């Protein structure tokens, strides 16, 4: 009987050319740029803001902390959660030290930790809006205050900073915050029997539990999840007690959303489908997955499965974007996936990556790796320009600058990335995902190592075990593994076979192997001192259609190659793009262009283009009369790279 060991992952070094470029871009451009913005030192324009929220002067995020710390005088500027821009930036910087030591940046971040410590109150509380301008209203209007959301983001940053640098002060700040929250929230008499309107603290406390081993933090996360929706009127009661007048609102309009928007209408275990603000949903799901895994709570796990299935099978765009409407940045209903008004917030795709990663820790299912890959290479990555200094908050699948300017219902759709936003949650959120991408490549479940992302890397486990993966992914599907196992440890290696690769070839030590696919993975038993694995994935260009329940994509096709979803841009094709017709199975040509858009694979597909009607032609004509069209070629580039050239139209879904 073969006895398997339980491998422990110690480190992962990303060697992928694709991801090394992005990770170095974050260090060299993104972090310095965002630091200047948060210190109000960057020459930026945030007047073009998809939220139209009026917060368009500057960031003031560092100044808020200095005022709270007594180092400056003044009032708070920005949203109640403005501090989180700083915390997510700090978390991104922390991860970057793992692959790019930077003494100058380290001085800045160490000083920032000192500033945050000075701003924190003696009882552990830290939310600068309330400390500066409304100390009497702490925890009094949780539907809108984002206090636990704000402190949760610091807890995540503090955990990451301690883990990467050993800075104890960073962790102590996080523990004091959690202790403050624990003293104020719970079912005991005298405590608040409630939770934050924006879920986040649940996943943050779970990460703090992982770092410290303090079960009290896990119990507190569990409390928040179980308490949500127990009293559906909780927020209403708080608002009435704090002052029912709308001018008492911390964020205008937030009281107008239904309880479902805040996932507060009923207990989570009773919620059938995810509703409301997309980021709130996926942050909550991530917290649920964490807590379900550590506590064995079957109700939470069942909710994770329900929410996952509804999002992925009925409310997710082909690019991985989620959250269809600008009204509350929210989910709408099953199969409602409009392309030209899609919200698809960058933060929601980042949060979906978090959720997928945690589900992989629970179930060894390839579908979680598929979605994680979809987000990494499409939905999340499109949120940042190739220069690292311009960002998308909204990620549509169809865009036209004329429509965005002329139709108020599409004004949230930008056709070029902005310098910054009044609500700047997305830029630093994407930065922290990119700098931590090394943590998303492997999942260890018992005696099994799951390799579910094809990002070249060198991974080291205990007992001298080393796995090296090399490839030119996502442009090539040739994946090569070299395994060094000097101590003859026995373990299982699971390699994901992506859903987009129906066919694949496998060789082990140069010999062809035919292994069954089990829930999206193939498995090999490893006990030799060394092993080579060569996996060849199907990288043919594929014509995709949506379920015919999706009316917005009916009779349309999208182009995908490997994990990359493609888009047609006006920069490469004559507008209007709506005149092109593509037949599924039409002739395609693929070529990697190292000089275009920092190196991308380009797909060209044979198409027809209708001749545009004369401007003086009737608005409506007899449909039985033929329409003149010409044979042509349509050029497509990866969706994540659109809007990096001239301003113009873009379409993912094409007429057929």
């Amino acid at each position: 009987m073969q006895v398997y060991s339980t491998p422990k992952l110690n480190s992962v070094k990303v060697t992928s050319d694709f991801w090394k470029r992005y990770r170095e871009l974050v260090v060299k451009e993104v972090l310095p740029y965002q630091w200047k913005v948060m210190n109000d030192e960057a020459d930026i324009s945030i007047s073009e803001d998809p939220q139209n929220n009026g917060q368009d002067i500057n960031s003031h995020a560092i100044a808020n902390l200095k005022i709270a710390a007594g180092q400056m005088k003044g009032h708070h500027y920005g949203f109640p959660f403005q501090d989180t821009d700083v915390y997510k930036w700090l978390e991104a910087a922390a991860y970057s030290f793992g692959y790019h030591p930077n003494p100058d940046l380290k001085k800045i971040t160490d000083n920032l930790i000192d500033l945050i410590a000075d701003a924190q109150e003696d009882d552990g509380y830290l939310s600068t809006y309330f400390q500066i301008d409304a100390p009497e209203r702490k925890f009094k209007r949780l539907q809108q205050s984002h206090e636990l959301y704000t402190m949760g983001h610091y807890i995540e940053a503090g955990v990451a900073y301690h883990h990467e640098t050993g800075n104890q002060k960073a962790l102590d700040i996080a523990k004091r915050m959690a202790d403050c929250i624990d003293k104020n929230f719970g079912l005991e008499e005298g405590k608040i029997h409630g939770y934050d309107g924006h879920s986040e603290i649940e996943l943050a406390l779970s990460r703090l539990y992982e770092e410290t081993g303090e079960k009290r933090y896990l119990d507190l996360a569990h409390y928040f999840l179980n308490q949500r929706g127990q009293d559906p009127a909780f927020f209403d009661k708080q608002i009435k007690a704090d002052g029912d007048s709308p001018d008492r609102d911390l964020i205008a309009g937030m009281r107008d959303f239904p309880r479902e928007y805040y996932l507060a209408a009923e207990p989570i275990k009773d919620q059938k489908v995810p509703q409301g603000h997309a980021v709130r949903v996926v942050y909550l799901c991530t917290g649920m997955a964490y807590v379900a895994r550590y506590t064995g709570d079957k109700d939470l796990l069942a909710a994770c499965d329900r929410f996952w299935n509804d999002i992925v099978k009925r409310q997710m765009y082909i690019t991985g974007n989620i959250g269809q409407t600008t009204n509350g940045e929210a989910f709408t209903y099953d199969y409602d996936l409009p392309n030209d008004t899609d919200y698809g917030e960058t933060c929601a795709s980042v949060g979906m990556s978090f959720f997928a990663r945690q589900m992989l820790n629970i179930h060894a299912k390839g579908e979680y790796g598929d979605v994680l890959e979809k987000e990494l290479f499409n939905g999340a990555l499109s949120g940042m320009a190739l220069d690292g200094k311009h960002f998308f908050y909204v990620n549509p699948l169809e865009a036209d600058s004329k429509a965005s300017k002329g139709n108020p219902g599409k004004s949230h759709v930008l056709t070029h990335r902005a310098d910054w936003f009044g609500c700047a949650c997305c830029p630093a959120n994407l930065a922290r995902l990119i700098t931590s991408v090394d943590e998303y490549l492997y999942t260890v479940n018992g005696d099994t190592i799951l390799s579910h992302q094809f990002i070249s890397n060198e991974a080291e486990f205990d007992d001298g075990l080393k796995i090296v993966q090399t490839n030119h992914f996502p442009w090539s599907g040739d994946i090569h593994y070299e395994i060094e196992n000097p101590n003859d440890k026995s373990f299982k290696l699971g390699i994901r076979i992506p859903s987009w690769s129906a066919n694949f070839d496998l060789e082990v030590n140069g010999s062809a192997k035919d292994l069954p696919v089990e829930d999206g993975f193939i498995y090999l038993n490893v006990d030799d001192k060394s092993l080579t694995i060569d996996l060849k994935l199907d990288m043919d260009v594929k014509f995709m259609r949506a379920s015919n329940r999706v009316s917005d994509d009916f009779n349309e096709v999208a182009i995908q190659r490997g994990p990359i979803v493609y888009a047609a841009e006006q920069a490469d094709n004559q507008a209007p793009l709506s005149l092109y017709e593509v037949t599924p199975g039409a002739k395609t040509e693929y070529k990697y262009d190292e000089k275009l858009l920092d190196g991308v694979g380009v797909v060209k597909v044979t198409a027809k283009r209708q001749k545009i009607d004369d401007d003086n032609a009737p608005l409506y004509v007899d449909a039985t009369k033929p329409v003149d069209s010409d044979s042509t070629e349509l050029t497509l580039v990866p969706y994540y790279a659109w809007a990096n050239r001239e301003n113009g139209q873009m379409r993912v879904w094409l007429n057929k």
Side-chain angles (χ1 to χ4, degrees):
M1 176 179 176
Q2 190 172 26
V3 178
Y4 293 101
S5 60
T6 302
K8 179 179 181 296
L9 180 60
N10 294 324
S11 67
V12 178
K13 177 183 178 182
V14 173
T15 58
S16 159
D17 290 339
F18 184 95
W19 286 101
K20 279 174 64 178
R21 192 198 81 80
Y22 272 101
R23 281 155 68 83
E24 289 300 322
L25 181 69
V26 172
V27 172
K28 295 174 182 177
E29 300 291 345
V30 178
L31 293 175
Y33 173 76
Q34 293 185 4
W35 180 247
K36 287 183 179 179
V37 171
M38 293 187 301
N39 281 276
D40 304 327
E41 296 172 352
D43 182 16
I44 60 171
S45 172
I46 54 177
S47 58
E48 288 189 301
D49 191 329
Q51 299 79 43
N52 298 313
N53 54 49
Q55 304 283 352
D56 59 358
I57 300 175
N58 52 32
S59 169
H60 211 66
I62 296 297
N64 288 337
L65 285 164
K66 289 181 177 179
I67 295 168
Q71 298 177 14
M72 286 178 59
K73 293 188 180 298
H75 286 281
H76 183 278
Y77 177 82
F79 287 97
F81 51 83
Q82 204 82 347
D83 302 352
T84 62
D85 296 351
V86 179
Y87 301 154
K88 283 181 279 189
W89 178 90
L90 176 62
E91 187 178 350
Y95 297 132
S96 77
F97 295 142
Y99 65 88
H100 189 128
N102 188 333
D104 291 336
L105 180 60
K106 181 77 163 36
K107 288 180 182 178
I108 292 173
T109 54
D110 282 347
N111 288 335
L112 178 57
I113 293 294
D114 291 339
L115 172 60
I116 294 169
D118 288 344
Q120 187 175 34
E121 295 186 351
D122 291 343
D123 66 353
Y125 183 91
L126 177 51
S127 183
T128 61
Y129 170 77
F130 294 94
Q131 292 170 262
I132 297 169
D133 287 344
E136 75 286 354
R137 300 182 70 187
K138 294 176 183 176
F139 300 139
K140 297 290 180 61
R141 212 176 189 89
L142 288 161
Q143 181 203 60
Q144 306 164 16
S145 71
H146 289 74
E147 288 162 277
L148 305 186
Y149 168 86
T150 297
M151 286 192 271
H153 270 302
Y154 176 79
I155 290 171
E156 286 199 85
V159 166
Y161 203 78
H162 174 260
H163 192 79
E164 296 294 336
T165 71
N167 186 303
Q168 187 61 40
K169 180 183 283 190
L171 186 62
D172 288 343
I173 296 169
K175 290 165 64 178
R176 286 199 299 273
M177 280 184 182
D179 292 343
C180 172
I181 296 168
D182 193 33
K183 290 176 183 176
N184 283 278
F185 289 83
L187 294 177
E188 297 88 346
E189 186 176 353
K191 291 187 177 183
I192 301 168
H193 301 175
Y195 40 87
D196 199 285
H198 195 311
S199 48
E200 205 285 339
I201 189 62
E202 301 86 354
L203 74 93
L205 288 168
S206 299
R207 292 188 62 187
L208 186 60
Y209 162 71
E210 286 181 326
E211 188 71 5
T212 64
E214 176 57 65
K215 187 173 179 295
R216 183 163 48 91
Y217 300 141
L218 179 64
D219 292 341
L220 185 57
H222 204 178
Y223 156 78
F224 281 126
L225 292 167
N226 284 334
Q227 186 62 19
R228 185 171 290 273
Q230 294 291 344
D231 178 4
F234 168 71
F235 290 145
D236 300 327
K237 293 175 182 177
Q238 273 210 320
I239 289 173
K240 184 175 181 180
D242 186 48
D244 202 28
S245 173
D247 62 12
R248 294 281 288 172
D249 283 342
L250 300 167
I251 303 175
M254 292 300 291
R255 67 163 65 199
D256 299 328
F257 292 113
R259 292 167 179 171
E260 288 81 2
Y261 178 82
Y262 301 97
L263 298 111
E266 58 184 341
I268 290 173
K269 65 181 180 63
D270 298 326
Q271 293 187 27
K272 303 304 181 189
V273 295
Q275 293 178 295
H277 185 258
V279 178
R280 283 171 166 83
V281 168
V282 289
Y283 279 9
L284 184 76
C285 288
T286 304
M288 288 197 297
Y290 261 121
V291 173
R293 176 161 60 98
Y294 285 125
T295 65
D297 189 322
K298 293 182 180 179
D299 287 336
L300 289 182
L301 180 56
C304 286
D305 291 335
R306 287 197 307 275
F307 284 19
W308 175 274
N309 287 333
D310 190 74
I311 293 171
V312 172
K313 296 179 180 178
R314 290 180 281 276
Q315 296 203 68
M316 175 178 283
Y317 286 88
I318 192 171
T319 54
N321 300 116
I322 57 173
Q324 301 99 312
T325 177
T326 183
N327 185 24
E329 307 174 331
F331 288 106
T332 54
Y333 58 93
D334 289 350
Y335 305 108
D336 177 43
L337 294 166
N339 297 303
D340 58 348
T341 58
D342 169 29
Y343 204 75
E345 184 182 344
T346 300
C347 277
S349 286
V350 172
M352 197 67 197
S353 302
F354 299 162
F355 185 21
R357 180 190 178 196
Q358 290 309 314
M359 291 303 283
L360 276 163
N361 283 323
I362 299 173
H363 303 303
K365 291 185 177 181
E367 66 180 278
Y368 304 126
D370 287 348
V371 171
L372 176 55
E373 178 183 72
K374 185 183 291 287
E375 301 294 2
L376 289 176
F377 286 99
N378 301 283
L381 202 56
S382 69
M384 185 171 70
L386 297 175
D387 66 2
K389 297 178 181 178
H390 297 86
F391 307 92
F392 272 150
Y393 194 111
V394 173
N395 295 274
L397 274 71
E398 180 180 330
D400 184 343
S401 56
K402 289 183 180 179
S404 297
K405 184 177 181 180
N407 184 342
K410 299 179 181 179
S411 62
H412 61 287
V413 174
L414 301 184
T415 52
H416 59 279
R417 293 173 179 83
D419 294 354
W420 202 247
F421 308 105
C423 174
C425 50
C426 297
N429 218 1
L430 180 54
R432 67 176 178 147
L433 177 63
I434 292 171
T435 55
S436 64
V437 76
D438 54 293
E439 299 184 2
Y440 289 75
L441 310 187
Y442 294 95
T443 299
V444 179
N445 283 334
D447 59 15
T448 303
I449 298 173
L450 299 179
S451 173
H452 47 76
Q453 300 303 314
F454 303 112
I455 296 175
S456 294
N457 68 88
E458 299 173 359
E460 295 186 359
F461 299 77
D462 55 2
D463 294 320
L465 175 62
K466 187 174 183 179
I467 300 177
V468 176
Q469 181 192 146
T470 54
N471 57 56
H472 187 48
F473 198 78
W475 315 121
S476 169
D478 295 333
I479 315 297
H480 179 70
Y481 290 89
E482 292 188 6
I483 300 174
E484 297 178 12
N485 184 23
N487 294 316
D488 298 323
K489 291 293 181 179
S490 297
F491 67 95
K492 290 182 181 179
L493 176 65
I495 301 176
R496 179 175 62 93
I497 302 300
S499 58
W500 47 259
S501 182
N503 304 306
F504 66 95
D505 294 321
L506 178 71
E507 289 186 357
V508 179
N509 287 335
S511 299
K513 292 286 185 181
D514 185 13
L515 297 178
V517 179
E518 304 173 37
D519 278 336
F521 285 91
I522 55 171
Y523 291 93
L524 297 93
N525 296 321
V526 179
D527 52 18
D528 296 334
K529 287 185 180 295
S530 64
L531 190 70
T532 63
I533 302 169
D534 287 282
L535 176 67
K536 189 176 183 64
L537 299 172
D538 177 8
M539 298 295 284
D540 289 344
V541 175
K542 293 184 172 58
F543 295 82
M544 309 295 292
R545 75 165 179 89
S547 164
N548 58 18
R549 293 173 179 265
V550 182
S551 60
D552 291 278
D553 298 334
F554 188 76
N555 213 35
E556 294 186 335
V557 295
I559 304 296
Q560 183 171 340
R561 182 181 182 273
I564 301 293
V565 175
Y566 278 79
E569 274 196 281
Q570 188 173 338
D572 303 305
N573 307 283
Q574 183 180 352
L577 299 178
S578 58
L579 296 182
Y580 289 86
E581 297 176 353
V582 174
T583 302
K587 181 182 177 182
T588 62
E589 177 187 326
Y590 170 80
K591 183 179 180 180
Y592 179 75
D593 188 340
E594 63 180 9
K595 296 181 179 179
L596 180 65
L597 299 167
D598 289 335
V600 294
V602 178
V603 171
K604 293 187 177 182
V605 58
T606 300
K608 287 185 177 181
R609 184 180 186 276
Q610 290 188 9
K611 292 183 178 179
I612 193 166
D613 291 337
D614 186 271
D615 190 44
N616 293 317
L619 187 57
Y620 303 102
V621 296
D622 185 348
T624 62
K625 293 182 178 180
V627 179
D628 290 337
S629 61
D630 296 321
S631 296
T632 187
E633 194 173 56
L634 191 62
T635 299
L636 301 104
V637 297
Y639 171 76
Y640 76 80
W642 86 277
N644 277 282
R645 296 173 289 174
E646 65 184 64
N647 196 4
Q649 295 181 14
M650 180 276 295
R651 286 175 71 105
V652 169
W653 288 98
L654 309 167
N655 296 321
K656 68 175 183 179

